[in-house]
Amino acid sequence: MSEELIISGETKEEKYASLLPQIESLISHEDDPVAVMANVSAAISDTFGFLWTGFYRVEGNQLVLGPFQGPLACTRIPCGRGVCGTAWAEARTLVVPDVDAFPGHIACSSVSRSEIVVPFFKDGKVAGVLDIDSDRTGTFDSTDARWLEQAMVALSRKLDSASAPEGEAVRDGVVVYCASSSQVPAECLDAALEMGRLIARAGLTLVTGGGYRGLMARTIDGALEEGGRVTGVLPHFMLERGWAHEGLTRCIDTPSMHVRKDTMASLSMAAVALPGGIGTLDELCEIMTWHQLGIFTGPVVIVNTGGFFDPLIAMFDRMRELGFMRGGIIPAHVVATPAEAIDYIIASRR
């Protein structure tokens, strides 16, 4: 990639939309994490001119200063102290409109007035934080959080890839979207159990929302019964409420629902939708959109257990007939059973 940024747009949203692909390219084309952090902090600083932009890395029980742009900074921050230490301890993004109002704020610079801190992860644990300070109050909001979280997902993905054992396939997951409710027809629960079993038998990793109830739990149970691997991805607030399945092989803590969905997709080479509610429809439609745009290149499969998805499929057909589906193609493959789903996924890998 060129070392020159090309930023277009006037609004903050437009600038982030222009910057993010360039940050993702910087991350994907360099293996040294310090070099990556240095260029990412420079890219954000050049684009927005914030007072301070940089990284702190987790070392033992403290954060240690990493690459940054701006005035001198604190070199070490204990876990749970200040905005950075709290974001690490709680594994979530913190947007602070006025740092003087934040309990226990550590004043590395007397000029700082507002701050945003976004964690990044390695092997499901916080590996550090991106810290940005402004000399004005109220600088940061949900727009900054959303785009910066996407950038840190890319960094986390890179760190996970670098730490994977030699020869191990990093992207071998099949993400399964399904209901977290157990008050559903037995045939749906049975299909979920079978889906988990078949993913494990195929030597693939089940990627899931990681919950301990409903179809989600049954897919996990099925994979574990066959000795398979299960990666559960849950936002921090769900982990705090004890919603994680106890049998997960790996549990990834994310700062938000948006990062959760992106992380699940990034670990997967295929996506499967089983019967579910609003959350399942949200996940299915988003992964179909990503597939249509070429962001997610693996197969997307809808398992139409007992005709559950018939009304939705009819709606998709209606969209296609009226020209609302790009190229007249529905970006998902519909099957009747989990066995057909896994056969289609395996065939797509060849």
Side-chain angles (χ1 to χ4, degrees), residues 5 55 66 72 87 97 179 198 228 232 243 285 302 313 326:
L5 287 175
F55 290 87
L72 293 176
L198 292 171
W243 291 359
C285 289
I302 298 172
I313 295 166
R326 179 179 296 180

Side-chain angles (χ1 to χ4, degrees), residues 16 44-45 48-56 65 68-74 77 82-84 94 96-100 105-118 129-140 144 148:
Y16 273 121
I44 296 171
S45 181
F48 295 102
F50 295 130
L51 172 66
W52 197 95
T53 302
F55 290 87
Y56 282 92
L65 182 64
F68 70 92
Q69 300 279 316
L72 293 176
C74 304
I77 299 174
V83 183
C84 288
L94 290 181
V96 182
D98 183 351
V99 295
D100 292 330
H105 170 62
I106 299 173
C108 293
S109 170
S110 61
V111 184
S112 177
R113 289 292 176 266
S114 58
E115 187 173 2
I116 182 170
V117 180
V118 184
V129 299
L130 168 65
D131 180 23
I132 304 178
D133 290 70
S134 169
D135 57 2
R136 295 179 292 109
T137 58
T139 297
F140 307 105
D144 300 278
L148 294 172

Side-chain angles (χ1 to χ4, degrees), residues 2-323:
S2 169
E3 295 174 355
E4 179 181 356
L5 287 175
I6 302 174
I7 303 298
S8 60
E10 297 296 327
T11 68
K12 180 161 60 176
E13 182 88 27
E14 291 169 340
K15 289 180 179 180
Y16 273 121
S18 177
L19 175 62
L20 181 62
Q22 297 178 76
I23 286 179
E24 291 176 333
S25 181
L26 286 169
I27 290 171
S28 66
H29 288 90
E30 175 55 56
D31 292 329
D32 185 273
V34 174
V36 167
M37 292 178 200
N39 266 340
V40 170
S41 59
I44 296 171
S45 181
D46 286 352
T47 300
F48 295 102
F50 295 130
L51 172 66
W52 197 95
T53 302
F55 290 87
Y56 282 92
R57 299 164 293 109
V58 172
E59 296 286 350
N61 63 349
Q62 59 188 343
L63 292 169
V64 178
L65 182 64
F68 70 92
Q69 300 279 316
L72 293 176
C74 304
T75 56
R76 295 176 185 271
I77 299 174
C79 184
R81 291 284 306 279
V83 183
C84 288
T86 303
W88 168 25
E90 297 182 2
R92 66 185 180 95
T93 299
L94 290 181
V95 177
V96 182
D98 183 351
V99 295
D100 292 330
F102 187 87
H105 170 62
I106 299 173
C108 293
S109 170
S110 61
V111 184
S112 177
R113 289 292 176 266
S114 58
E115 187 173 2
I116 182 170
V117 180
V118 184
F120 59 91
F121 299 81
K122 179 179 179 181
D123 298 328
K125 298 180 180 180
V126 177
V129 299
L130 168 65
D131 180 23
I132 304 178
D133 290 70
S134 169
D135 57 2
R136 295 179 292 109
T137 58
T139 297
F140 307 105
D141 55 26
S142 60
T143 297
D144 300 278
R146 177 165 52 86
W147 287 100
L148 294 172
E149 283 176 354
Q150 291 182 63
M152 291 305 95
V153 166
L155 177 58
S156 301
R157 191 182 306 159
K158 183 71 173 184
L159 295 176
D160 277 346
S161 175
S163 67
E166 185 176 354
E168 179 179 308
V170 176
R171 200 179 176 96
D172 71 339
V174 175
V175 58
V176 177
Y177 307 125
C178 58
S180 59
S181 172
S182 300
Q183 306 303 311
V184 296
E187 65 176 332
C188 294
L189 292 167
D190 292 343
L193 185 70
E194 184 66 7
M195 192 75 250
R197 287 171 173 166
L198 292 171
I199 289 171
R201 289 173 191 166
L204 300 171
T205 299
L206 169 63
V207 179
T208 169
Y212 69 93
R213 295 181 300 182
L215 275 69
M216 198 179 298
R218 295 301 290 273
T219 59
I220 296 170
D221 293 340
L224 294 176
E225 285 177 9
E226 297 294 327
R229 303 178 302 275
V230 182
T231 297
V233 185
L234 297 93
H236 190 71
F237 78 89
M238 288 187 179
L239 289 172
E240 287 184 322
R241 296 175 186 179
W243 291 359
H245 192 290
E246 292 183 354
L248 297 174
T249 310
R250 179 186 180 195
C251 183
I252 297 178
D253 183 339
T254 67
S256 68
M257 293 290 285
H258 177 85
V259 176
R260 179 200 207 188
K261 289 189 288 184
D262 191 276
T263 301
M264 291 166 72
S266 73
L267 296 170
S268 305
M269 44 72 65
V272 173
L274 298 176
I278 295 296
T280 300
L281 288 180
D282 170 54
E283 292 166 326
L284 171 60
C285 289
E286 183 156 28
I287 203 68
M288 288 173 66
T289 302
W290 291 358
H291 184 78
Q292 188 176 64
L293 295 173
I295 298 171
F296 183 83
T297 57
V300 177
V301 186
I302 298 172
V303 181
N304 192 23
T305 305
F308 176 84
F309 286 106
D310 282 350
L312 182 63
I313 295 166
M315 186 68 223
F316 289 157
D317 285 334
R318 178 72 169 159
M319 292 177 180
R320 180 175 52 78
E321 291 166 3
L322 295 177

